[in-house]
Amino acid sequence: MSSFKALFGPSREKIWRQLSSEVGGQFHEGGLLTQSAVQARADDWIITLDTFTQHAGNSHQTYTRLRAPYFNPESFRFEIYRAGMFSGLGKALGMEDIEVGHARFDRDFVIKSNAPRRVRRLFDNRKIRHLIDAQPKIHLSVKGHDGLFGKFPAGVDELHFRSTGTIKDLAQLRTLFDLFAEVLQQVCHEGKAYEDDIRIHIRRLRAPGGRIKDKYVLWEGDGPRRDAAAALGRLGDPAAVPALASVLGDEDPLLAARAIEALARIQDRKAAGPLIRLLGDMREADGARVGDRVADALRKLGEGELVDIVVGAFGGEFGRLKAYDGEYRAQVIEALGDALEGVSGTHAANALAEINAVEALPRLREVLRSTGARNPTGQAISSAIKALEARAALPRAAAAADVDIDTLPRSAQESL
């Protein structure tokens, strides 16, 4: 056995397990139908090392690859390989040959991109050039995942490396992981330390959520978005309010909760309208109802009186709601519409009828179709629809602009 090891060297499994330990990753042991793999996190990204085999007739070729999905809304593409290795693969993607301004690097590598200025900034990073130069074989590119067989959410692409054969050189593999971490930091954050950069956190917040799993998890988008929302709250910049408001209705209730907390910390009045819409939100996040979190945030924004009015309507008290003529009527109606499918559904339907909210008719009909009219809430919704339809059918007073001046009444003494 010792002579066998001396001839072929350490096994891939042994080397890859050691690599996993060094990069703080996880080793996935292969089976009959799966290859072993190493995964490690670098900030928001998951880097995966494995092998795959391509078959052509009776022959086959094994490749080592690294891949890391990342948010790429600008569809930035690049491809780099050593001169003489490949033909012009990138031309079909609308990419052109680029010189990045470093003579030896331009001589030794072919670089293609659809964004010349951006790829020059990427390869102006000395560490990236050094890590690429250390690879005896390299084909590094951004692969899109659009179309019928795309695995990833819209806007997510994959940083992809491949090389023929199975790489078992520990130093080379460690260098590849370092290269991926540096390139991802550069293309996503322009190399900046992003702890206090509001623009980067807004970008992170706008990335897709969800979780993509192949043989193992390849992409987890919710965690970085939650972290970004919390960071924006910590930074306290009102410029983040629109971005935070845009995720309040996200499918991930924990992200909504982090955004609500952030808006409460920023304390900008522009957040009130988007928050009021969610007073009827019944989702649970970290043991608390989203609507209750919204109520707390609105009180911090000085809207405690309006919170009491809407919460009172959820409990069947409509007097103050009927008297309300403030700027947030549309948002209050949306909050009542959200509450139709919760425990306060009956009161919410009655409240909409009480304030003559004919604009809520589409929402009322939608809920009635899904719940039916047999239970108390359904009956209240049905009654509200009838009342509001009757009101909507009433003739409306003509606007002054629609009235001919000659038809207006005159005093008896006025001359014709």
Side-chain angles (χ1 to χ4, degrees), residues 3 27 59 119 127 131 145 153 160 168 207 209 259 265 269 272 285 328 338 361 363 367 386:
S3 60
F27 179 78
S59 63
V119 84
K127 183 176 181 180
L131 291 168
H145 281 271
H160 188 96
K168 296 193 293 182
R265 293 185 69 177
R269 285 274 303 157
Y328 297 118
D338 277 347
L361 277 168
R363 172 62 177 163
V367 176
K386 290 177 182 178

Side-chain angles (χ1 to χ4, degrees), residues 7 18 123 200 278 296 318 339 370:
L7 181 62
Q18 185 175 346
F123 291 113
I200 290 175
L278 295 184
D296 291 341
F318 308 134
S370 63

Side-chain angles (χ1 to χ4, degrees), residues 60-214:
H60 64 274
Q61 175 66 58
T62 298
Y63 293 88
T64 299
R65 69 178 173 184
L66 274 81
R67 48 192 170 140
Y70 72 100
F71 184 44
N72 185 24
E74 304 87 1
S75 297
F76 171 54
R77 299 280 189 270
F78 76 87
E79 181 180 21
I80 181 169
Y81 47 86
R82 287 197 175 272
M85 284 182 61
F86 300 98
S87 60
L89 298 175
K91 291 183 179 179
L93 299 174
M95 298 196 290
E96 58 181 286
D97 290 343
I98 306 292
E99 289 188 353
V100 296
H102 299 275
R104 191 179 68 81
F105 198 74
D106 286 329
R107 180 198 69 201
D108 292 344
F109 295 94
V110 176
I111 303 166
K112 298 178 182 292
S113 178
N114 62 352
R117 290 184 181 180
R118 190 168 180 187
V119 84
R120 288 189 185 104
R121 290 200 303 271
L122 172 64
F123 291 113
D124 200 42
N125 183 314
R126 180 181 299 179
K127 183 176 181 180
I128 289 175
R129 296 198 310 274
H130 173 74
L131 291 168
I132 287 175
D133 201 32
Q135 295 300 317
K137 298 178 183 178
I138 188 166
H139 182 200
L140 182 67
S141 64
V142 176
K143 297 184 67 173
H145 281 271
D146 302 326
L148 183 61
F149 299 105
K151 293 179 181 177
F152 301 109
V156 174
D157 292 322
E158 183 179 82
L159 183 64
H160 188 96
F161 164 90
R162 75 174 188 185
S163 179
T164 54
T166 300
I167 299 177
K168 296 193 293 182
D169 184 307
L170 182 60
Q172 182 184 359
L173 290 168
R174 180 60 191 263
T175 299
L176 281 169
F177 270 83
D178 290 344
L179 172 62
F180 261 57
E182 191 70 21
V183 169
L184 289 165
Q185 173 70 14
Q186 185 70 39
V187 298
C188 295
H189 304 325
E190 293 291 331
K192 299 173 184 174
Y194 60 82
E195 285 79 5
D196 294 327
D197 193 315
I198 182 175
R199 292 169 300 175
I200 290 175
H201 287 302
I202 288 174
R203 178 188 173 95
R204 297 173 71 213
L205 184 67
R206 288 175 172 162
R211 191 169 188 262
I212 300 298
K213 185 174 182 179
D214 193 0

